[in-house]
Amino acid sequence: MHFLPPVKHYFTARPRLLIAIGAGILCYWCLPAQFSTLLRLMIGWNALAWLYLLFLWWEMMRAGPDDMRAIALRQDESASTVLALVTLTCMVSVLVILLELSTVKQLSGSVKAWHLILTGVTLVVSWALLPTSFAMHYAHLFYRDRDEKEIPLLFPKDPKKPLYWDFLYFSFTIAVASQTADVATGTTEARKAALLQSVISFVFNLAILGLSINVGAGLLG
C-alpha cells in the first residue's frame, strides 16, 4: 500500500497516537477472560480514545501559531490517513455499542448499570474525538498552505494566525449544528473536508439519538 506513509513516520510525527493505540491494545488483552469480546473492545476503545483525546487537547492548548505550522508540516504526510482511521473507528464503535446494547436487557442490577454507563462514556468519547480530529485537520490545511494566495478558512475580522480554539469552534459548530456559522471556506479542499464532516456528523448524531432511546428503554426495562 504505497499511498500510506512509512511506519517510521508515525514514530516521529505521531508518537502520541501510537501510545494511545498501544494502551488500547494492552487494555484489551489484560482484561479478564470472562469478559465478552464486545465488552473488552469497548473498554479497550475507551482507553485508546480518551488517552488520544487528552493528548490532542494538551497539544492544542499549548501550541501557538508557529507551533501549529510546525505540527502541520510534520504531520502532513499522514494527516488524511489518521483522519480516515479515526472516523472509521468512531463509526465502528457505534456498531459495537449497538451489539452490546442487545445484551443489556438480559442483565440486572449493578451489572446492567455498569454496562449502560460504559455505553454512555463510549458515545461521549467517540462523538468528541471526531470534531477534535477534524479541527486538527483544518489547522493542517490552513498552516500547510499558509504561503499560498488562497486561504482554506476565512475567519471573521481576518485573523492572520488563528489558534486551535478557532478551528475547534469551526469544527464543533459543524458537529453540533451541521453548519459553518461565521467562518467561510476558501478552498475546494476545505469545502470537501467540511462537507465530509457535515455528513458524518449528521449520521453520527442520528445514531446517538437512536442509541439514547435504546439506553432509555434499557433503564426502564
Side-chain angles (χ1 to χ4, degrees):
M1 301 179 71
H2 62 281
F3 56 87
L4 292 176
V7 175
K8 65 179 182 180
H9 166 80
Y10 292 93
F11 284 98
T12 56
R14 297 183 181 271
R16 296 177 180 86
L17 174 61
L18 295 182
I19 292 173
I21 292 174
I25 294 174
L26 183 64
C27 184
Y28 174 86
W29 287 111
C30 289
L31 288 169
Q34 61 265 32
F35 282 20
S36 68
T37 300
L38 286 176
L39 186 59
R40 293 165 70 186
L41 281 173
M42 286 181 64
I43 297 175
W45 165 249
N46 271 275
L48 187 163
W50 280 110
L51 185 58
Y52 188 49
L53 190 65
L54 178 64
F55 282 150
L56 287 179
W57 277 83
W58 176 258
E59 184 175 44
M60 288 189 292
M61 294 304 98
R62 299 171 65 234
D66 294 336
D67 300 317
M68 294 169 67
R69 179 171 175 78
I71 292 171
L73 294 174
R74 184 174 69 249
Q75 297 182 350
D76 179 59
E77 188 176 359
S78 60
S80 297
T81 302
V82 171
L83 182 63
L85 288 175
V86 169
T87 301
L88 178 61
T89 49
C90 284
M91 299 306 289
V92 169
S93 71
V94 175
L95 295 178
V96 173
I97 291 171
L98 282 171
L99 294 173
E100 176 65 19
L101 282 175
S102 65
T103 66
V104 169
K105 292 183 179 180
Q106 303 171 10
L107 304 175
S108 61
S110 60
V111 175
K112 182 176 183 178
W114 189 84
H115 277 254
L116 290 173
I117 291 172
L118 179 61
T119 298
V121 170
T122 305
L123 276 177
V124 169
V125 72
S126 297
W127 184 88
L129 189 56
L130 272 174
T132 301
S133 298
F134 269 96
M136 288 287 292
H137 187 67
Y138 293 130
H140 290 167
L141 292 180
F142 189 95
Y143 281 100
R144 184 194 64 193
D145 300 329
R146 194 65 186 91
D147 295 331
E148 296 184 3
K149 293 182 179 179
E150 292 184 325
I151 301 177
L153 293 178
L154 307 171
F155 293 94
K157 298 184 179 180
D158 192 30
K160 301 298 183 182
K161 294 182 177 181
L163 298 173
Y164 276 119
W165 276 117
D166 298 296
F167 297 104
L168 286 166
Y169 164 74
F170 177 73
S171 184
F172 273 84
T173 299
I174 294 177
V176 172
S178 294
Q179 63 181 11
T180 57
D182 55 348
V183 181
T185 53
T187 64
T188 300
E189 191 172 5
R191 294 186 188 99
K192 287 180 179 178
L195 176 61
L196 176 62
Q197 188 191 357
S198 297
V199 173
I200 293 173
S201 296
F202 178 74
V203 174
F204 203 92
N205 290 340
L206 281 180
I208 289 178
L209 178 62
L211 289 171
S212 299
I213 295 173
N214 233 318
V215 170
L219 287 171
L220 297 175

